[in-house]
Amino acid sequence: SSGPVAAATRAMDELLRRAVPQTPAYELREKTPAPAEGQCADFVSFYDGLAEVGQRAELLGRLAQGFGVDHGQVAEQSAGVLQLRQQPREPAVLLQAEDRLRYALVPRYRGLFHHISKLDGGVRFLVQLRADLLEAQALKLVEGPHVREMNGVLKGMLSEWFSSGFLNLERVTWHSPCEVLQKVSESEAVHPVKNWMDMKRRVGPYRRCYFFSHCSTPGEPLIVLHVALTNDISNNIQAIVKEYPPSETEEKNRITAAIFYSISLAQQGLQGVELGTFLIKRVVKELQKEFPHLGVFSSLSPIPGFTKWLLGLLTTQAKEQGRNELFTDSEYKEITEVTGSPVHETLKGFLSSGEWMKSEKLVQALQTPLMRLCAWYLYGEKHRGYALNPVANFHLQNGAVMWRINWLADSSLKGLTSSCGLMVNYRYYLEETAPNSIAYLGSKNIKASEQILSLVAQFQKNSKL
Amino acid sequence: SSGPVAAATRAMDELLRRAVPQTPAYELREKTPAPAEGQCADFVSFYDGLAEVGQRAELLGRLAQGFGVDHGQVAEQSAGVLQLRQQPREPAVLLQAEDRLRYALVPRYRGLFHHISKLDGGVRFLVQLRADLLEAQALKLVEGPHVREMNGVLKGMLSEWFSSGFLNLERVTWHSPCEVLQKVSESEAVHPVKNWMDMKRRVGPYRRCYFFSHCSTPGEPLIVLHVALTNDISNNIQAIVKEYPPSETEEKNRITAAIFYSISLAQQGLQGVELGTFLIKRVVKELQKEFPHLGVFSSLSPIPGFTKWLLGLLTTQAKEQGRNELFTDSEYKEITEVTGSPVHETLKGFLSSGEWMKSEKLVQALQTPLMRLCAWYLYGEKHRGYALNPVANFHLQNGAVMWRINWLADSSLKGLTSSCGLMVNYRYYLEETAPNSIAYLGSKNIKASEQILSLVAQFQKNSKL
Amino acid sequence: SSGPVAAATRAMDELLRRAVPQTPAYELREKTPAPAEGQCADFVSFYDGLAEVGQRAELLGRLAQGFGVDHGQVAEQSAGVLQLRQQPREPAVLLQAEDRLRYALVPRYRGLFHHISKLDGGVRFLVQLRADLLEAQALKLVEGPHVREMNGVLKGMLSEWFSSGFLNLERVTWHSPCEVLQKVSESEAVHPVKNWMDMKRRVGPYRRCYFFSHCSTPGEPLIVLHVALTNDISNNIQAIVKEYPPSETEEKNRITAAIFYSISLAQQGLQGVELGTFLIKRVVKELQKEFPHLGVFSSLSPIPGFTKWLLGLLTTQAKEQGRNELFTDSEYKEITEVTGSPVHETLKGFLSSGEWMKSEKLVQALQTPLMRLCAWYLYGEKHRGYALNPVANFHLQNGAVMWRINWLADSSLKGLTSSCGLMVNYRYYLEETAPNSIAYLGSKNIKASEQILSLVAQFQKNSKL
Amino acid sequence: SSGPVAAATRAMDELLRRAVPQTPAYELREKTPAPAEGQCADFVSFYDGLAEVGQRAELLGRLAQGFGVDHGQVAEQSAGVLQLRQQPREPAVLLQAEDRLRYALVPRYRGLFHHISKLDGGVRFLVQLRADLLEAQALKLVEGPHVREMNGVLKGMLSEWFSSGFLNLERVTWHSPCEVLQKVSESEAVHPVKNWMDMKRRVGPYRRCYFFSHCSTPGEPLIVLHVALTNDISNNIQAIVKEYPPSETEEKNRITAAIFYSISLAQQGLQGVELGTFLIKRVVKELQKEFPHLGVFSSLSPIPGFTKWLLGLLTTQAKEQGRNELFTDSEYKEITEVTGSPVHETLKGFLSSGEWMKSEKLVQALQTPLMRLCAWYLYGEKHRGYALNPVANFHLQNGAVMWRINWLADSSLKGLTSSCGLMVNYRYYLEETAPNSIAYLGSKNIKASEQILSLVAQFQKNSKL
């Protein structure tokens, strides 16, 4: 074939042939010198030169497909191991056969990644490469088992490098470099930072902001956690995130509760690398050191997806006119008084735009059913047996308890359109997080408070899903 | 069985059963919570409590033997892979079968090491554990393929963690913490540091001392390199290591050569992890930045084992009285004039004690034959095809040239008893190290200077080994 | 007397009596213990508790008036010295008499300031106190020779403490603490910082921002200098101060000129303490180190007061209708075409509001006369023989040359209303600054470029002031 | 005159003429540019080039003599002030006359020092210069009132610069730079540091070592304080200063007392600048912060001069044979049993050499009288009404109580030959140091413990001095 596309793919193939190191024979694996620095650096600069995500996806797909495991080798070594199983000899022989097999199972591109990791800035490059790969997969630009395998290999390598032993906990204050505050600000995905005063508030009195950095790149946030220091478990975000500076100085003895109100990954290439759980644990220890009498730990969490899930239900209901399986009759009536008919359609409009907040009556009418529905969404909706909602799943895995759903807790447009203004607290009883975590991961058992369980019961009684 | 030994081994078995995490089923490998922190910490404190190297060896042996790979699983998964080879299905199936096989090939103790690495100080603990393991192997306290495999697994893990991307180059000066200078001083294995003035000299003008630290433990030397900055290639160590402070200040433009006169591993648990080669490369870059006109790079290296090798030859000769295959007749005669008969026995005494240096005549008589023999020892004696002498092997692997053997180059007792006072320069021609390294590692071809080759030729002509 | 005011002044008098230390007798001056820490701390907290500038002024006035020099003592010791002049004795006697006199001349409040300086934060307090004193003098809240003397004593003490030997030069970058960037931003008096992007630009590529801090309070700006790195002498500020980030990275070899475009005192209490001159000198050295080929140094300076001076002239002209001593006839005619009559009054309105910029015709008509008038304002208008314009006086004292007046150089509202949009370059020829400075300070001789001198000549020919 | 000496003094005079800046006329004092940097730098390099202390003394003497106050000016301005006293005019006139007089009283060399202080390293140079001046005065190389005056001026300037507000407290640990540990070690004058292990001990567990540095030269010790952390008031130095490392780790709750066992000035040029008192105060605060329950603060101090004082007494006694006014009859008899006759002469020998320690009997016989005599020496011997012993005077000025004399408290040769092995504790009762200090400095009243007072009473009863 010809044309610029063909030329581009030819260039890619040529680059890969040149840049991906040969896997040495098993016997020579320790005596083989590292490939010339330039060889792997070539890959890096070629890749960096690809401006479009599509081109990068193409290259990564070719790498995954063409430079993986040598299946023939694997089969041959497998046969060797099986034979020894049938005709046993001394252990050394079996162990070496297994080692040969293990060696054969290492995909060739792993060598490329390994050598890149040794370059200046190499690990950072690989984090970016994996971010691209994840994006390309999300955009369906590249697919298939080879790519998934390569993603798994990369994630495994990153997990070794970003092991908690190599992570530094850093605190952000107004004395931190502007560079850092800008990055923290930009990576804040839960409650976007509005301006510098908002940011100054989030690192000022009664607030803490921590991040993990890798020890090789201090000052570079990987994942960020925001905490509010209060005297009770916050039930709304407006009391925490503000755009004017506080007048007060912090009084240690007024602080009894720590509220994790935002946790955001700053490097998308580290998705799936266990950072958030460790960060919360480390911050808890740090706070206990600073405030010896601090006793209450809880999140104040968003419920992404709730509005969407609810709109889906309404759509279904709307299709079958006259059906009403979400609300009680009196609720239905109350709502209709505001919306008129058709209820479901109108309600969908109100909810998706957040306009319902403007009608005091509607707000009142919706409180009971929405709380109930939300409890079910969080507690009852599952994916492979675990909580469907990713935030819930994260905190439950960490061993937290689903503690309280809060009404009118986030009245920002984002809060309204993604979770009808509701937020939820996941509470960390420190003594119980370990057994809770095991119970959730093992038996898929969600530990929840009275409030949640009661709302779920109401749902089961009143909603006919 | 009974008695304290039995009790001790029972305690070990019990500890291992409790502390080594179960390997989760393949399907659950991502959904399994980390073992409780205490579980792996138990292993650490139990191990630290074992005071004797023998006990530690015993525990490590049991760990290697009892918690390795499940051979049945490996066989089963191998069979699965082989079957797919014969009855091909879509790639995803094969890739998953291979991944299951890969998973089965991971020894169970790897999970223990992995979780320990996440503890505070965990990686440092594993470095110490491997140091113990190497010592126990050297002392034959523990043996066998399982232990060798575990050592390999540990080395692999350490190689990931101590990857050059995570190493910081630190320079030692008189402004460095005393802690660091004490560690550098204690880890100096080549030319032991005599006192603080000696140390102050080694970090003063016309000297450089660098080390690699891991980014998670800055200030903690892993491997140390000492450099002298001169205007020619030093031919003896006395001119470099001195016990009085220099009077001069450093003049940049008098510096044209950098002599690496000592490289020592400070953490024995990192043996085999490629640090030395990287350290030399990084230091070369650092020096080039500081001294743009620096052009000559060379080691001034010891020749450990030369005296021992020579004494071995003399012993053989001594057994067959009258034979003289090492010296020419005139050399033999000259030596006899000093030693009397039996020449070989007396000479052995002289050489092993370093006493020969006291006889000017003997010094003169031995220069020619010892230079020749040493050249052969370095150039001609091999182990699996590579240089027998480990220092030679290290520099040749790095791509250096065997450049010059120096007479009376180390007149310390250590220098005399280990290498008859001889030292050797391995010279680094920066443009040629890469091809030299490949040539040596591939074709086992040693690149040497005229002087060396001429001495080797003399040996081949005059010595009848 | 009675009432709250009387109570307040009684409280002041009592505080002063208690807090200002007694001056020990000359003989005991070295054997007198420092006053209790609390004594001077009392003054500090009392003063800090005074919220209004008027109250502070009152207290400072009373301190100056009531706790100065003991004139009787001074007279007595003066007499002693004079007597020795008439009846000479050995030198020791005269020297001691002079020392007693010197001691008597120290105002008592100096002891208070001295002891405050030793408290934690004491020096910072005194800087603030002097800032208040200067403000109070400017507002005429307090007057008289005693206050002027106290101001002089304070300035002398601050000059010792803020000696250039104790000042650290710090560079501001985007990696500096936000705290620092906020302070730098707030203290920028010449070209106010509009937002964070503007600030980021001022510390980004092709810009430098430096400040002096005292070594006891690192990170706290005392005086700030902004520099643009260019390849010619900038003739307008719009090219330097921008609100969007630059796309380029800095190329060292494109930089040939350094333009000081803003210098601002960040601590008003340090007025008159020679900081600016030292800062420019240190920054020049710093830049020469970073850019060895940098050859051109110049300011791009505002001309505060020019508009005001010009409006004053126009007012005078306006009073005597029909007079026109500022413009040539053709200029006058051209201007009238836009303004109509009465010219001077209308023009005043245009100039004071900056509205003239909107008329292309007027802009054209005014260029020649305004340039000429500005040259005269800078070069010809004097105060005690030195340049009336304070910025001119500062740079001329430093030894700079009045180099170029620039038309439409600052089109901001501030630029228009304070200097009709004109700016001026003072150029630093490094070899000549020392003699220039001496010539200016000694003979009051202003060194100026051809352009300036030619404009001044035009003024003298065309304007009939 | 001619010859090299004359040439040298001519060179000095010429240098001084050139380098010492003219004092500007009073009217121009603020408008006079600083002298060219080179001018004062000339003085610095000329001075540094003088290798011998005698030459430096000569130069300093000439500077003091020839560049002091203009006595004519002083007399003239004094007359002006006196005249205003007789013919009063408005205050401004008197204040200005006084200011002119004040200005006239500033010695010309002060300008030189002032400008030197602004050079890089200038303040450090002046500290060294004053150290030289003090040494030269001690060696009688230079004398007279002018030199004393210059010394006073320098001390005054240094006191402003080394004000406690500009001093940083730094702690020395084994992690401090070797440079710092070497300096601390070398400046230790009380109990000289024997080797690095001794030093490591002094910065290890149960020990603290602090120093003041100036904020402009961090890491450079000015004055050093060593503290032992114990559970009682140490009665000997052997328990504190040891040459082997401690095995223990520090347990906070075992620490109840802080013993200041050494304070040494590291920069002799700062003699008389009040540093020691401030250092003790700051360290007390620091220790209270670290150990909230620490309650006891005391010195363990040497008694320099005691042996010398005692030998003087013995000499007097020896001259008048048969007299015995120091010992009781039974003491005298006991001593004679060991020494034989003549007692006083023999005893002098024993005491001056420290040999008496070898005779158990003599040790026993001397304990009572030496304790008594030492108490009198410390408590009763005065200089201008204050304690003669300088260490006693220092601690009493600080407000400490003379608390306990300790027998066999320093058995080192230095301890024996300077204070017969005795040491003394000065105890700091924090609440009482301020009134004690005032009482001592004012009424010369020494506060002492029961033990001391009782020993003094015994002295007064038994010794007939």
Side-chain angles (χ1 to χ4, degrees), chain C residues 30-31 33 71-72 75 82 85 94-95 98 102 105 118 145 155 160-161 164 166 214-216 397 441, chain D residues 30-31 33 71-72 75 82 85 94 98 102 105 114 118 145 155 160-161 164 166 214-216 397 441:
Chain C
E30 305 236 299
K31 282 287 183 188
H71 303 301
L82 275 180
R85 187 76 180 165
L94 177 60
L95 292 189
E98 286 178 350
R102 198 183 281 123
L105 281 161
K118 292 176 181 293
K155 191 181 126 184
E160 284 301 327
W161 294 327
S164 62
F166 303 151
H214 192 270
C215 61
S216 67
Q397 280 192 15
L441 287 164
Chain D
E30 305 237 299
K31 282 288 183 189
H71 302 300
L82 274 180
R85 184 78 179 163
L94 177 61
E98 286 178 348
R102 199 184 280 122
L105 280 161
H114 176 75
K118 292 177 182 293
K155 191 181 124 185
E160 283 302 328
W161 294 327
S164 61
F166 302 154
H214 192 270
C215 61
S216 66
Q397 281 192 15
L441 288 163

Side-chain angles (χ1 to χ4, degrees), chain D residues 307-333:
Chain D
T307 302
K308 200 177 160 197
W309 173 83
L310 185 57
L311 294 176
L313 290 188
L314 289 170
T315 302
T316 315
Q317 301 278 313
K319 278 188 192 139
E320 314 177 30
Q321 278 198 354
R323 269 183 72 186
N324 167 29
E325 297 180 331
L326 299 175
F327 306 111
T328 62
D329 291 349
S330 67
E331 284 166 8
Y332 191 81
K333 206 180 129 205

